Amino acid sequence: RLCRKNRPYQQEALTSHLGFNLMVNPYPVVDHHFTIVGEKHSVQCFTEHSLMFFAMTKYMQGMTIFYNAPKCGASIPEHLHLQAIPSNVLPIEASGVDNPWLCRNLYFENEDALDIALMIENSHSAIEKLLGEEKYTRFNVIAKYADNKFKAWFIPRETARPNCYYREGDAQIMVSPACLELGGLIVV
């Protein structure tokens, strides 16, 4: 559905010089919610596109860009796509290093896109080695460019869904968190 040839004809897109198409999200959660789709077909893989991801945060200043890995909220894992919403909508953005949210995350801030991409990749690799997990699967990234710095929250995941999702009866809470929810925005 994200490739140009598979999109509904009504779905228009702006093409950026960075190789992405910018489209209005067909299922917006907040005002000015966009889907950013790779112009060329490629799978949802952060490490292959991390520099492009951070270039997009600088290109779209005033917006927060997020990446959901295939097993952590990506709705179409077979095609690279990101999402963007206005900056400072997510409560996690206000917290910086002092993060009161329940989700575990690593916060990075740096003036250089390559440095911050490497910090995230090294963190991901270290966690992967510790857990023996398969590559590119369980994490989310929320990022923006502000105050001449790249700011990113890397959120490693043990599972795609919390235990409460699998409970029965009144104990069941049907939530399958991705970046918006992990960033503190729960839409009901």
Side-chain angles (χ1 to χ4, degrees):
R1 290 198 80 180
L2 296 175
C3 292
R4 183 183 313 257
K5 66 181 179 180
N6 295 332
R7 284 189 288 233
Y9 73 91
Q10 302 93 334
Q11 180 73 59
E12 295 184 20
L14 297 174
T15 301
S16 80
H17 68 286
L18 298 171
F20 281 90
N21 291 316
L22 177 67
M23 303 180 297
V24 173
N25 190 307
Y27 305 102
V29 176
V30 299
D31 288 341
H32 309 291
H33 186 171
F34 298 98
T35 301
I36 304 165
V37 180
E39 176 99 349
K40 294 181 180 171
H41 186 82
S42 66
V43 296
Q44 189 79 347
C45 178
F46 186 80
T47 53
E48 290 179 19
H49 301 93
S50 60
L51 287 178
M52 194 69 73
F53 173 82
F54 286 108
M56 189 60 71
T57 65
K58 193 170 185 179
Y59 179 70
M60 294 183 69
Q61 288 184 50
M63 301 295 282
T64 295
I65 312 291
F66 51 93
Y67 169 87
N68 292 311
K71 294 184 180 178
C72 293
S75 56
I76 304 174
E78 53 281 342
H79 194 116
L80 175 65
H81 65 289
L82 311 169
Q83 293 183 54
I85 60 172
S87 289
N88 303 316
V89 168
L90 298 177
I92 198 172
E93 294 179 75
S95 64
V97 177
D98 185 24
N99 182 348
W101 302 105
L102 297 177
C103 70
R104 292 172 289 191
N105 71 81
L106 299 173
Y107 175 73
F108 299 104
E109 192 173 292
N110 198 295
E111 295 174 358
D112 185 81
L114 179 59
D115 286 347
I116 202 161
L118 287 173
M119 288 178 209
I120 289 174
E121 175 59 22
N122 290 338
S123 299
H124 180 246
S125 293
I127 290 167
E128 199 173 72
K129 285 177 186 171
L130 279 171
L131 300 177
E133 290 292 320
E134 95 184 56
K135 208 166 178 73
Y136 312 120
T137 54
R138 294 194 175 101
F139 67 94
N140 302 82
V141 180
I142 300 169
K144 65 181 178 179
Y145 186 82
D147 306 318
N148 297 316
K149 292 181 184 172
F150 296 95
K151 301 176 182 195
W153 293 263
F154 171 72
I155 305 166
R157 306 275 297 273
E158 287 182 49
T159 62
R161 294 183 172 130
N163 291 336
C164 63
Y165 183 90
Y166 302 102
R167 293 183 184 139
E168 295 181 14
D170 291 340
Q172 184 180 44
I173 300 173
M174 300 282 290
V175 64
S176 186
C179 282
L180 288 175
E181 295 80 11
L182 295 169
L185 183 65
I186 304 288
V187 177
V188 289

